[in-house]
Amino acid sequence: MPATSEPLIATRDLHKWFGHNHVLQGIDFAVARGEVVCVIGPSGSGKSTLLRCLNLLERPQRGAVLFHGEDLVDPDCDIDAVRRHIGMVFQQFNLFPLHNALHNCTVALITVLGMKRAEAEHIARANLERVGLADKIDALPASLSGGQQQRVAIARALSMDPQLMLFDEPTSALDPELVGEVLAVMRKLAEAGMTMIVVTHEMTFARQVADRVVFMDDGGIVEQGPPEEVVGAPREQRTQDFLQRVLDPVHTG
């Protein structure tokens, strides 16, 4: 559950266009320290764009993104310094293919933070153990399953000791039998108090782990609230229609 009601990150009247496509249409969104928020909605609703705007991988044309109250859109903001506190896990794993798991997790510590190799490797080993891969530190990505590669990617992000973790559909590229191992790691992070924003189609995970579920459609937030309300008893017709499409009968409650 959220440790405090003070927002760690928030957006104010956030707008993003790609050409004439108005992808984000005035998003007001806030996440408290220790809160786990799952963002759901159909493809093209703006979920991933919102996530990428939170660390300025996409720059919004209007509005503010506030991290600890500092506006990341402000030209005077040192966005590289801020990004050190925001970990991100993508749909694709984005690992260095010629480097083993340990090296994948130490590169940023050494090159970005200037950390000594021994200290970086100590941190990386601890985080690989945290995601259940202590026995794979010497493995190259090609020798790992998709689920293992994604867990290395999570360990890499955790090695920077982030205050916030962003997950952009982290299981969508995985074979179904591998999804559970990644969700189990994310569940443990949530239980440990990590602040997390997760774009996902995994409704069972959202119902069981999220403090709040946000449903987006057509560039806006349609409704949000506790998972038992948004997923279990949605008020809005658009939310009901979406959930009817994505939930199989055994999960409809």
Side-chain angles (χ1 to χ4, degrees), residues 104-250:
N104 265 281
C105 294
T106 60
V107 169
L109 295 176
I110 295 168
T111 62
V112 177
L113 300 186
M115 194 174 287
K116 299 288 188 183
R117 181 173 299 277
E119 183 182 0
E121 289 188 351
H122 175 75
I123 291 170
R125 287 174 187 273
N127 282 298
L128 285 166
E129 182 175 1
R130 189 175 181 184
V131 300
L133 292 175
D135 60 335
K136 299 292 185 181
I137 61 172
D138 295 320
L140 293 175
S143 71
L144 300 174
S145 70
Q148 290 171 331
Q149 289 185 61
Q150 191 62 295
R151 284 190 281 153
V152 172
I154 294 172
R156 176 180 59 186
L158 291 173
S159 292
M160 295 292 284
D161 194 23
Q163 299 174 26
L164 169 66
M165 285 286 287
L166 308 176
F167 293 87
D168 187 6
E169 300 201 36
T171 60
S172 65
L174 300 179
D175 292 334
E177 66 270 20
L178 302 177
V179 168
E181 66 188 62
V182 173
L183 295 180
V185 169
M186 294 170 61
R187 187 186 301 266
K188 288 180 181 178
L189 292 179
E191 291 169 352
M194 175 64 72
T195 310
M196 297 165 55
I197 305 174
V198 185
V199 171
T200 186
H201 283 100
E202 299 292 339
M203 293 301 125
T204 300
F205 177 85
R207 293 183 81 160
Q208 295 177 350
V209 179
D211 298 302
R212 178 160 47 105
V213 174
V214 174
F215 174 69
M216 290 185 66
D217 194 17
D218 196 26
I221 293 175
V222 177
E223 69 176 296
Q224 59 181 308
E228 59 269 22
E229 294 178 8
V230 176
V231 181
R235 300 184 306 273
E236 300 294 331
Q237 187 63 49
R238 280 190 285 174
T239 315
Q240 295 170 20
D241 292 344
F242 170 76
L243 290 170
Q244 189 171 12
R245 291 195 301 270
V246 300
L247 286 172
D248 73 46
V250 300

Side-chain angles (χ1 to χ4, degrees), residues 83-97:
R83 285 192 184 121
R84 296 174 189 176
H85 303 293
I86 303 176
M88 187 158 186
V89 178
F90 301 88
Q91 297 178 37
Q92 302 298 328
F93 321 125
N94 297 332
L95 300 177
F96 294 109

